[in-house]
Amino acid sequence: MQDTFKHKGMRRQLINELREKGIENEQILEAFDAIPRHFFLDLVFEQQAYSNQAFQIGAGQTISHPYTVAFQTHLLELKKGEKVLEIGTGSGFQTCILCKLGAKVFSIERQRELFLKAKKIIEHFNFNPRLVYGDGYAGLPLLAPFDKVLVTCGAPEVPAALIDQLKEGGIMVIPVGEGKDQVMLKIKKLPDGEVDIQQYGVFSFVPMLENKVK
Ligand code: SAH
């Protein structure tokens, strides 16, 4: 896969669009500049890879809109070296953005086809995330706790196991809601086991499915 001047130019335009939509964090924008999104898409989508759209990535799943990736990443308040659990590796694009920002990433995918595909693409980069084939509802208890948890599929409710695996003071970003629309939640785990929940608008994700590892 090649990353040409044309791709780089289209990427700059996307970054301007993200900036206009309110993404101001320069590190996040730099990560978008560094990770060629077209690497994660089928060749037929190459020319559209830098438009703010979701595309089919196989197994009936989609890569998230660039704005959604940027916005969820912004809500995470990521610091270098933090341990992040991602649920829904999908194409692997968001995984690479988190790696580029210096996170230690653990990512779970329940579709074997996508797990294998993402693994191969991520090998192009010098990142070393831990990719796991499994059910994100269970999280990764043996590798917990995590500073941050990022769910990139629409969850019918907040999985208790994922709250358990969050550090005190940690943040989980999760779109919650059944059907087509989800409300983006930022959940902060407070010292006494309580949580603080804030809402950040309506988004549309593929569903988070339970006990159906394929
Ligand atoms: N971050 C990805 C988003 C892909 S869409 C990207 O930008 O490409 C969401 C992904 O979540 C899909 O690949 C879907 O298979 C996966 N998913 C759904 N339910 C899951 C579960 N219970 N455990 C792990 N992954 C799940």
Side-chain angles (χ1 to χ4, degrees):
M1 192 77 80
Q2 289 214 326
D3 189 28
T4 64
F5 280 116
K6 191 172 172 208
H7 293 122
K8 290 188 173 107
M10 292 193 287
R11 207 137 75 229
R12 283 288 150 89
Q13 276 181 18
L14 172 65
I15 288 164
N16 287 338
E17 202 181 322
L18 293 175
R19 215 179 246 124
E20 279 164 21
K21 285 183 183 288
I23 304 295
E24 287 169 355
N25 183 320
E26 288 303 322
Q27 282 160 331
I28 294 178
L29 296 171
E30 275 167 27
F32 270 78
D33 198 25
I35 310 293
R37 189 173 185 246
H38 68 280
F39 282 18
F40 300 81
L41 295 172
D42 283 352
L43 222 52
V44 284
F45 300 127
E46 194 183 352
Q47 295 308 315
Q48 299 147 273
Y50 296 99
S51 61
N52 188 31
Q53 290 182 63
F55 296 102
Q56 299 295 327
I57 52 172
Q61 307 302 317
T62 52
I63 185 172
S64 298
H65 289 69
Y67 175 73
T68 305
V69 174
F71 188 65
Q72 287 199 291
T73 308
H74 158 74
L75 290 181
L76 274 185
E77 298 178 22
L78 206 57
K79 291 174 203 77
K80 272 205 173 81
E82 283 188 330
K83 263 174 82 180
V84 181
L85 174 63
E86 179 191 24
I87 310 298
T89 315
S91 66
F93 178 69
Q94 168 82 77
T95 314
C96 286
I97 293 285
L98 296 171
C99 290
K100 182 67 195 167
L101 289 165
K104 208 169 169 337
V105 185
F106 301 77
S107 187
I108 311 178
E109 173 55 55
R110 66 173 280 279
Q111 296 276 359
R112 193 166 179 79
E113 172 191 340
L114 298 181
F115 160 75
L116 294 171
K117 209 157 141 186
K119 204 171 170 161
K120 226 170 144 194
I121 296 164
I122 293 170
E123 276 164 15
H124 283 276
F125 300 90
N126 265 337
F127 304 135
N128 203 11
R130 176 87 73 92
L131 302 178
V132 177
Y133 168 58
D135 181 7
Y137 272 92
L140 294 173
L142 298 178
L143 296 164
F146 298 95
D147 297 290
K148 306 284 160 73
V149 174
L150 174 60
V151 179
T152 70
C153 37
E157 78 278 306
V158 180
L162 299 184
I163 295 275
D164 288 348
Q165 292 171 32
L166 197 57
K167 271 187 197 166
E168 262 181 27
I171 292 173
M172 163 154 38
V173 173
I174 178 168
V176 175
E178 283 177 284
K180 206 173 77 47
D181 294 334
Q182 291 81 34
V183 177
M184 189 68 76
L185 300 183
K186 173 164 152 181
I187 302 177
K188 195 160 187 178
K189 190 162 171 182
L190 304 174
D192 50 6
E194 298 281 298
V195 288
D196 172 66
I197 303 180
Q198 291 178 40
Q199 300 192 0
Y200 288 90
V202 175
F203 289 77
S204 189
F205 283 82
V206 294
M208 180 172 184
L209 301 170
E210 197 168 6
N211 291 331
K212 289 182 188 159
V213 173
K214 286 203 192 173

